Amino acid sequence: MDNKLMLMIPGPTPVPEPVLLAQAKHPIGHRSGDFGKIMAEVTENLKWLHQTQNDVLILASSGTGAMEAGIINFLSAGDRVLVGTNGKFGERWAEVAEAYGLTVETITVDWGKPLDPQAFADRLSADSDKSIKAVIVTHSETSTGVINDLQTINGHVKAHGALMMVDAVTSLGATSVPIDEWGLDVVASGSQKGYMIPPGLGFVAVSPKAWEAYKTATLPKYYLDLGKYRKDAAKNSTPFTPPVNLFYALQEALRLMKKEGLDNIFARHARLRAATRAAVVALNLPLYAPDDCASPAITAVMPQSVDAEQVRSVMRKKYDIALAGGQDALKGKIFRIGHLGFVSDRDVLTAIAALEATLIELGAEVTSGAGVAAAAKHLIG
Amino acid sequence: MDNKLMLMIPGPTPVPEPVLLAQAKHPIGHRSGDFGKIMAEVTENLKWLHQTQNDVLILASSGTGAMEAGIINFLSAGDRVLVGTNGKFGERWAEVAEAYGLTVETITVDWGKPLDPQAFADRLSADSDKSIKAVIVTHSETSTGVINDLQTINGHVKAHGALMMVDAVTSLGATSVPIDEWGLDVVASGSQKGYMIPPGLGFVAVSPKAWEAYKTATLPKYYLDLGKYRKDAAKNSTPFTPPVNLFYALQEALRLMKKEGLDNIFARHARLRAATRAAVVALNLPLYAPDDCASPAITAVMPQSVDAEQVRSVMRKKYDIALAGGQDALKGKIFRIGHLGFVSDRDVLTAIAALEATLIELGAEVTSGAGVAAAAKHLIG
């Protein structure tokens, strides 16, 4: 059917009706007092979501733009940075750092495996002259559904003294990212993920230590110059025209998130992950990421007896459910189920029920009802 | 009254209801065939609006982000650039160029006056070794309501051979910017202006000659790397997550613009400018920009007998009409009437009628009805 699409991809994620309607309002002037009030409210609520008193700045950009800003504002050409790469996004941050002439070293493991915190400890403790200026880690690797052990890696970074820069694009709003408790310096994210709003806004949380580094950082920047955003945010304003209607959406979505509460949001994502993974196992499909590093936002599945793209095609055409495919080397080999943002228990039951029917249609050996039964176990109670 | 605000500012501009409703739709996946179809349609229609066969690329950014991309993608550190500055935005492009280590020379005139094309001719003809790589001009200076003589300046640039880079943020969609006919190399704009959609999208049109320069340009870039956008646009896709809902809005707005037709759109803006300026004169208010360089998008007024900010305040509080104030040195000295984008003859009559009443309330010597009568002369026919 037309107009009945259900998004189970890791972004854009589903958007609640009050948020969709909020952004359908007529724009107001961004230099007005009314806009200033929205800016003040969303900034306060962003700090709540980020569990921080640090600045949380809002850019008109995708998550990549936000992460690039998070990297380039605090470094100078030639600076040595350590980048963890175990998926498409980790690799992207290494590319960004290289594009700006940083001296990039990577700690790499195969896609689908988690970064090894000990490798960071070893590399950082060997850096006796403290020439490593920043460590860049993707918290939840959207391309593989692996969540990295940010807390442990961050402990090693703290011991060393480098800046800790985090891509939290698919972890923020899905699992706890306690910025102040852990002392994370730079945390970037994007609106079309845990925030439950359409794409178009990027967010960067910046610690006082990062602002110290900003003072001497010399990489060229203007549109992504976070100092400009900080200065204007202090006046509840923005240096460049903000996407006013997406701010309406953000205001409404953050109110909804506060109503649900952080603990409930994180518990819901953990529950959806458990239910999805149990169902996938019950349907005889191999999970791509191991249990102990499974992202609460995305479950990647690497089917053997059926074709991943055929699964996506039947799910899309027959049941109007969009699943994500694999990226780069994983293209055609995995499909990814997003359970991030405005996703309910019912949505997971729905997706699993449709997945079962799809697998049977494609000739896989599946016990009808087994996936739903396995998922439900995690939801009932 | 609440919820009855009328925007007469140079952006965000009013948004047609079908566009507001289009962007309230649920997002779809940006890697889907359905999104590809939208991308193909809007790209074709953007070329129509830009009167070009060049690439027209779409960024998730404000107009400043688009203009920065338009500058940095085609130059290397140390390159000599000539920037015309006669307002806030011309000055901004000089700042951007300086931030990236370009060798910036400016051709400056006072705010409120137009750039002198002969000054460009002189500077360019003196550059016998062709060391000036690009000339950067703001077509319609939003801060002053002055439109610069881009065609004549461009003629001198063509004779020299430098790249012609244009900020068309408040000219595109308000007056003809015939990119192919004139041979403009880089033309940047933003969604919240003539496009009649909310802010959040930036556009850059790039000529084959600029792409040649791209090959050897070495300024660092990633999120604003237009080569990535070009590569993916060829597959009806984007390198980074696009603001899907703003694409819905863009699709709808471009359809509305095509229905009205370029000539009608430009004639409407010329008519609104004439009506607004005639009314301002009839109300004994000094126009800030001279007639022969008046922007079709914005009319700036520098009142003497009443306070500009008081005019804005009464207009806003009593008649729910938002006018823009002055920027930087003009703060408090001028008010600006936007008549750009989704603005009708009726809107100008409305704004002028309210302005008359406001001026009388503030004790100005004004003949009630004189402004409306003067405006109407340009609208009746």
Side-chain angles (χ1 to χ4, degrees):
Chain A
M1 276 181 89
D2 282 346
N3 296 313
K4 212 167 168 66
L5 179 66
M6 181 177 175
L7 286 180
M8 296 292 285
I9 60 177
T13 60
V15 178
E17 189 175 85
V19 177
L20 288 173
L21 294 178
Q23 69 158 6
K25 288 190 296 186
H26 205 289
I28 55 173
H30 55 291
R31 300 298 179 223
S32 65
D34 287 339
F35 183 79
K37 282 181 206 155
I38 296 172
M39 181 78 184
E41 178 184 330
V42 299
T43 299
E44 188 183 314
N45 287 344
L46 284 171
K47 289 184 181 186
W48 164 80
L49 176 63
H50 285 73
Q51 305 180 58
T52 190
Q53 293 305 312
N54 291 348
D55 294 303
V56 184
L57 306 170
I58 311 169
L59 281 67
S61 76
S62 77
T64 296
M67 189 64 189
E68 177 171 332
I71 295 171
I72 68 172
N73 273 270
F74 311 105
L75 297 166
S76 304
D79 276 356
R80 201 174 155 203
V81 296
L82 194 56
V83 186
T85 64
N86 60 333
K88 183 178 178 68
F89 290 93
E91 291 177 5
R92 178 174 289 181
W93 312 138
E95 280 179 27
V96 169
E98 275 160 15
Y100 278 87
L102 301 174
T103 303
V104 180
E105 294 169 40
T106 56
I107 290 186
T108 303
V109 293
D110 289 344
W111 286 36
K113 293 198 164 60
L115 293 171
D116 174 16
Q118 190 55 45
F120 287 84
D122 294 347
R123 198 78 70 96
L124 289 164
S125 62
D127 177 36
S128 50
D129 63 350
K130 310 284 182 196
S131 68
I132 295 174
K133 299 296 179 203
V135 176
I136 302 170
V137 166
T138 302
H139 191 190
S140 165
E141 205 9 293
T142 312
S143 62
T144 63
V146 165
I147 193 157
N148 288 309
D149 182 359
L150 177 62
Q151 186 173 13
T152 305
I153 296 170
N154 177 61
H156 299 310
V157 176
K158 291 283 118 194
H160 171 277
L163 291 172
M164 180 75 240
M165 299 177 169
V166 181
D167 162 4
V169 169
T170 50
S171 66
L172 204 97
T175 191
S176 186
V177 186
I179 291 182
D180 286 359
E181 187 191 326
W182 290 0
L184 306 173
D185 293 303
V186 177
V187 176
S189 57
S191 55
Q192 75 280 15
K193 309 287 183 176
Y195 292 88
M196 314 192 295
I197 69 176
L201 293 179
F203 307 94
V204 197
V206 181
S207 75
K209 182 174 162 184
W211 285 124
E212 270 305 303
Y214 174 86
K215 290 181 189 167
T216 54
T218 60
L219 285 179
K221 56 201 170 279
Y222 194 91
Y223 183 66
L224 297 178
D225 182 346
L226 294 177
K228 296 186 197 302
Y229 292 83
R230 181 196 206 188
K231 190 176 155 211
D232 284 17
K235 300 173 285 181
N236 290 320
S237 189
T238 58
F240 312 114
T241 309
V244 173
N245 291 53
L246 286 170
F247 273 71
Y248 293 155
L250 177 64
Q251 180 182 38
E252 186 63 33
L254 287 169
R255 286 178 184 175
L256 294 174
M257 292 180 88
K258 282 196 87 165
K259 211 166 162 187
E260 184 175 3
L262 278 187
D263 290 344
N264 290 333
I265 292 171
F266 301 152
R268 173 167 55 82
H269 282 87
R271 190 168 69 242
L272 299 181
R273 168 180 56 193
T276 303
R277 292 175 66 85
V280 166
V281 170
L283 294 172
N284 301 320
L285 294 172
L287 289 161
Y288 185 63
D291 280 342
D292 59 1
C293 62
S295 168
I298 315 115
T299 297
V301 180
M302 192 175 235
Q304 303 297 325
S305 58
V306 291
D307 180 79
E309 287 301 298
Q310 277 195 307
V311 171
R312 290 180 63 220
S313 175
V314 175
M315 287 287 279
R316 177 70 185 81
K317 285 186 188 147
K318 198 142 183 182
Y319 301 107
D320 299 300
I321 297 177
L323 302 179
Q327 295 171 294
D328 295 351
L330 289 178
K331 211 176 168 81
K333 294 187 181 161
I334 63 168
F335 63 83
R336 293 174 295 153
I337 305 169
H339 34 77
L340 167 63
F342 187 54
V343 178
S344 67
D345 291 13
R346 187 189 75 206
D347 292 329
V348 164
L349 285 178
T350 302
I352 296 301
L355 179 59
E356 277 185 17
T358 297
L359 292 169
I360 291 166
E361 179 159 335
L362 292 174
E365 284 197 23
V366 160
T367 308
S368 194
V372 168
K377 269 192 194 167
H378 292 271
L379 306 176
I380 299 165
Chain B
M1 277 181 89
D2 281 346
N3 295 313
K4 212 165 169 66
L5 179 66
M6 182 176 174
L7 286 180
M8 295 293 284
I9 61 177
T13 60
V15 178
E17 189 176 86
V19 177
L20 288 173
L21 294 178
Q23 68 160 3
K25 288 190 295 186
H26 205 288
I28 55 173
H30 55 292
R31 300 297 178 224
S32 64
D34 287 340
F35 183 79
K37 281 180 207 156
I38 296 172
M39 180 79 184
E41 177 184 332
V42 299
T43 298
E44 189 183 314
N45 287 344
L46 284 171
K47 289 184 181 186
W48 164 80
L49 176 63
H50 285 72
Q51 304 179 59
T52 190
Q53 292 305 311
N54 291 347
D55 294 303
V56 184
L57 306 170
I58 311 169
L59 281 66
S61 77
S62 78
T64 296
M67 190 63 188
E68 178 170 331
I71 296 171
I72 68 173
N73 274 269
F74 310 105
L75 297 165
S76 304
D79 276 355
R80 201 173 155 203
V81 296
L82 195 56
V83 186
T85 65
N86 60 332
K88 183 179 177 68
F89 289 92
E91 291 177 5
R92 179 174 288 181
W93 312 138
E95 281 179 26
V96 169
E98 274 159 15
Y100 278 87
L102 301 174
T103 303
V104 180
E105 293 169 42
T106 56
I107 289 185
T108 302
V109 293
D110 289 344
W111 287 36
K113 294 198 166 60
L115 293 171
D116 175 15
Q118 190 56 43
F120 286 84
D122 294 346
R123 198 78 71 95
L124 289 164
S125 62
D127 178 36
S128 51
D129 63 349
K130 310 284 182 194
S131 68
I132 295 174
K133 298 295 179 203
V135 176
I136 302 171
V137 166
T138 302
H139 191 190
S140 165
E141 206 6 295
T142 312
S143 61
T144 63
V146 164
I147 194 158
N148 288 309
D149 182 358
L150 178 61
Q151 186 174 13
T152 306
I153 295 171
N154 178 61
H156 300 310
V157 176
K158 289 283 118 193
H160 171 277
L163 291 172
M164 180 75 240
M165 299 179 167
V166 181
D167 161 6
V169 168
T170 51
S171 66
L172 203 97
T175 192
S176 185
V177 186
I179 292 183
D180 286 359
E181 187 190 327
W182 290 359
L184 306 172
D185 294 304
V186 177
V187 175
S189 58
S191 54
Q192 77 280 15
K193 309 286 183 176
Y195 293 87
M196 314 192 296
I197 69 175
L201 293 179
F203 307 94
V204 197
V206 181
S207 74
K209 182 174 161 183
W211 285 125
E212 268 306 302
Y214 173 87
K215 289 181 188 167
T216 55
T218 59
L219 285 179
K221 56 200 168 281
Y222 195 91
Y223 183 66
L224 297 179
D225 182 346
L226 294 177
K228 296 187 196 302
Y229 292 84
R230 181 195 206 189
K231 190 176 155 211
D232 284 16
K235 299 173 285 180
N236 290 321
S237 189
T238 59
F240 312 115
T241 309
V244 173
N245 291 53
L246 286 171
F247 272 70
Y248 293 155
L250 178 63
Q251 180 182 38
E252 186 63 33
L254 287 170
R255 286 178 183 174
L256 294 174
M257 292 179 89
K258 282 196 86 165
K259 212 166 160 187
E260 185 175 3
L262 278 187
D263 289 345
N264 290 332
I265 292 172
F266 301 152
R268 174 167 55 83
H269 282 87
R271 191 167 69 241
L272 299 181
R273 168 180 57 191
T276 303
R277 292 175 67 84
V280 166
V281 169
L283 294 172
N284 302 320
L285 293 173
L287 290 161
Y288 186 63
D291 279 342
D292 59 0
C293 61
S295 167
I298 315 115
T299 297
V301 180
M302 192 175 236
Q304 302 298 323
S305 58
V306 293
D307 179 79
E309 287 301 297
Q310 277 195 307
V311 171
R312 290 181 62 220
S313 175
V314 175
M315 288 286 279
R316 178 69 184 81
K317 285 187 188 145
K318 198 139 181 182
Y319 301 106
D320 300 300
I321 297 178
L323 303 180
Q327 295 172 293
D328 296 349
L330 290 178
K331 212 176 167 81
K333 296 188 179 157
I334 64 168
F335 63 83
R336 293 175 296 152
I337 305 169
H339 34 77
L340 169 62
F342 187 56
V343 178
S344 67
D345 291 13
R346 187 189 76 207
D347 292 329
V348 164
L349 285 178
T350 303
I352 296 301
L355 179 60
E356 276 184 18
T358 297
L359 292 169
I360 291 166
E361 179 159 336
L362 292 174
E365 284 196 24
V366 161
T367 308
S368 193
V372 168
K377 269 193 193 166
H378 292 271
L379 306 177
I380 298 165

